Amino acid sequence: MSVPILTIDGPSGAGKGTVSRLIAQKLGWHYLDSGAIYRALAIAITEKGLAIDEIDAIVNTAEDMDLVFQCDTKRHITLDGHDITEQLSFESTGNTASKIAAIPEIRAELLQKQQHYKQSPGLVADGRDMGTVVFPEAQYKVFLTASALTRAKRRYKQLKEKGIDANLSEITADIQERDQRDSEREFSPLIPAKGAVYIDSSDMSIDQVVEEMLSLVQ
Ligand code: C5P
């Protein structure tokens, strides 16, 4: 029996994480946060003191990585037995993740890890290349975006709520730099999958986005 898949690709801050989790919950499907896999690898190599150009060592680290996603009342992610939930959301983690994500050997190593999440009764897969490369066979594909300023404001609010000091113009510049690197890289660039439904969430609430996506699947 084929497993239904909804892929949600788009730039960071478009609301993919929140929306994907809600949809997975509503449908009772599994959820793949592929960005967290790249981020976890970024943490693992930083802890080992590896440089971005030590590709073989990074690939080996990716191969050995024991990553566990747990979800009770809150989400907990452990890497090789230790909790990395907080570190995952650091800006520095996202930046390192985006640099290693441009390296084809690393993407190839992480491909199967991601494809293992395709399990019954269904999967919501959130990332940059879910509909184009990892699950090209998916029945439902969405490209979710929002303006850079909207995304920066959302990120700013999130950081402030966590008590982390933040600067809106720095966050906007950071988002633009990451968008450019993710969209212009040679391997698996961030582009809408063929046939993907395009949703701009700049002026939409989370509930509106969720409703629109659910109407595609149901
Ligand atoms: O989505 P998130 O911000 O957690 O992803 C962190 C980085 O990982 C992105 O900037 C992107 O470079 C990379 N990534 C990717 N492909 C994915 C998911 C994330 O290249 N499917």
Side-chain angles (χ1 to χ4, degrees):
M1 194 193 81
S2 84
V3 177
I5 304 175
L6 166 65
T7 60
I8 305 180
D9 289 309
S12 54
K16 288 176 293 149
T18 310
V19 166
S20 303
R21 267 192 291 275
L22 285 169
I23 293 179
Q25 244 171 32
K26 286 199 191 242
L27 295 173
W29 288 5
H30 299 278
Y31 167 51
L32 165 62
D33 177 359
S34 62
I37 298 182
Y38 285 91
R39 284 172 183 263
L41 182 57
I43 294 171
I45 68 161
T46 307
E47 282 175 356
K48 281 190 175 178
L50 295 175
I52 303 289
D53 59 0
E54 291 182 86
I55 297 174
D56 289 346
I58 300 178
V59 169
N60 288 337
T61 306
E63 205 180 338
D64 295 343
M65 201 164 61
D66 177 22
L67 194 60
V68 180
F69 292 84
Q70 285 165 322
C71 209
D72 33 62
T73 46
K74 260 184 99 187
R75 208 161 76 115
H76 286 285
I77 298 163
T78 61
L79 170 66
D80 301 329
H82 69 274
D83 195 321
I84 56 162
T85 316
E86 213 190 318
Q87 256 172 296
L88 274 179
S89 62
F90 292 171
E91 293 300 301
S92 54
T93 306
N95 282 330
T96 308
S98 153
K99 286 179 191 154
I100 55 178
I103 303 168
E105 291 88 339
I106 294 171
R107 299 200 75 85
E109 177 57 41
L110 294 179
L111 185 65
Q112 275 195 346
K113 270 197 189 332
Q114 297 171 76
Q115 288 171 336
H116 278 144
Y117 285 81
K118 178 178 174 179
Q119 278 170 30
S120 200
L123 175 68
V124 179
D126 150 7
R128 303 290 187 291
D129 60 345
M130 298 295 99
T132 49
V133 177
V134 182
F135 304 109
E137 74 279 23
Q139 295 89 327
Y140 314 105
K141 298 183 183 184
V142 169
F143 191 81
L144 181 65
T145 190
S147 72
L149 185 61
T150 305
R151 291 184 282 128
K153 282 184 181 160
R154 288 177 186 163
R155 182 81 190 126
Y156 177 82
K157 193 165 160 255
Q158 270 172 2
L159 291 171
K160 283 283 178 192
E161 278 166 4
K162 283 186 192 164
I164 299 170
D165 197 27
N167 174 305
L168 186 61
S169 56
E170 272 174 26
I171 296 175
T172 312
D174 209 57
I175 281 188
Q176 284 167 333
E177 188 190 323
R178 187 127 55 99
D179 281 358
Q180 190 174 7
R181 192 163 44 226
D182 289 349
S183 319
E184 293 179 358
R185 69 183 173 214
E186 192 179 348
F187 303 96
S188 305
L190 171 64
I191 44 164
K194 211 168 154 234
V197 174
Y198 188 93
I199 302 177
D200 183 332
S201 73
S202 301
D203 299 313
M204 290 171 83
S205 67
I206 289 169
D207 286 348
Q208 285 173 320
V209 178
V210 168
E211 280 307 309
E212 189 163 338
M213 287 198 199
L214 281 175
S215 70
L216 294 175
V217 177
Q218 285 167 339

